[in-house]
């Protein structure tokens, strides 16, 4: 895999190397041309790697435990699949909960329009397992569909 990436990198660098004089190739000067080509390609690859900026991603999200990996679920940031562990929640009640977020407090979940009394009972059953953290843009975007399919 690394060899394929290296070959692709060299091929792309070679496309931008200025043309050299056309000479007849013999076995003696072909080796010198190859050495010159690889030295230029290596210099171009080194310049490319040195110019790549590091990613400024948030690696340690302090509320990651509430995204579905514990008993407590963050109703503002957790994905719909976090509610699979709660019988009666997934998919209907969880879908309504996720699509109507964000919430200022856990009590706001009862203000969802179109919530039946049966669905309110299910929410009441798991209310102690919910928390309402500040919505994080990194997780809000994937709240309903995170691209995981069976």
């Amino acid at each position: 895999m690394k060899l394929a990436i290296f070959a692709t990198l060299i091929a792309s660098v070679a496309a931008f190397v200025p043309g050299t004089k056309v000479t007849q190739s013999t076995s003696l000067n072909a080796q010198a041309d190859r050495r010159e080509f690889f030295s230029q390609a290596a210099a171009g690859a080194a310049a490319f790697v040195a110019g790549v900026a590091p990613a400024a991603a948030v690696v340690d999200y302090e509320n990651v435990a509430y995204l579905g990996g514990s008993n407590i679920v963050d109703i503002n940031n957790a994905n719909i699949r976090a509610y699979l562990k709660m019988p009666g929640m997934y998919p209907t009640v969880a879908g309504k909960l996720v699509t109507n977020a964000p919430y200022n407090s856990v009590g706001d979940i009862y203000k969802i329009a179109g919530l039946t009394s049966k669905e309110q009972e299910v929410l009441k059953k798991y209310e102690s397992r919910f928390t309402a953290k500040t919505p994080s843009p990194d997780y809000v975007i994937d709240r309903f569909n995170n691209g995981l399919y069976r």
Side-chain angles (χ1 to χ4, degrees), residues 6-150:
F6 182 71
T8 304
L9 181 64
I10 288 177
S12 62
V13 169
F16 297 101
V17 174
T20 57
K21 60 183 179 181
V22 178
T23 59
Q24 291 220 342
S25 178
T26 65
S27 61
L28 294 176
N29 66 1
Q31 189 173 13
D33 288 342
R34 192 172 345 141
R35 191 173 298 136
E36 180 182 337
F37 167 75
F38 281 118
S39 66
Q40 288 176 353
F48 174 75
V49 171
V52 175
V58 177
V59 178
D60 296 322
Y61 176 61
E62 64 273 3
N63 296 322
V64 74
Y66 303 118
L67 297 177
S70 69
N71 280 338
I72 299 175
V73 176
D74 179 8
I75 58 176
N76 285 329
N77 294 307
N79 185 272
I80 191 170
R81 295 177 68 87
Y83 302 100
L84 281 168
K85 299 183 222 171
M86 301 175 196
M89 285 286 295
Y90 186 84
T92 307
V93 180
K96 288 182 179 182
L97 190 66
V98 168
T99 55
N100 289 289
Y103 305 98
N104 292 325
S105 68
V106 176
D108 289 348
I109 61 177
Y110 298 106
K111 298 175 186 172
I112 297 173
L115 203 61
T116 66
S117 60
K118 178 92 171 153
E119 292 169 341
Q120 286 180 350
E121 290 174 17
V122 172
L123 287 173
K124 187 71 172 169
K125 178 180 175 183
Y126 297 110
E127 183 178 16
S128 63
R129 293 180 60 183
F130 298 148
T131 185
K133 301 291 183 185
T134 305
S136 173
D138 297 330
Y139 297 101
V140 168
I141 194 168
D142 293 330
R143 221 177 10 221
F144 191 74
N145 182 2
N146 64 354
L148 295 176
Y149 305 103
R150 289 185 186 214

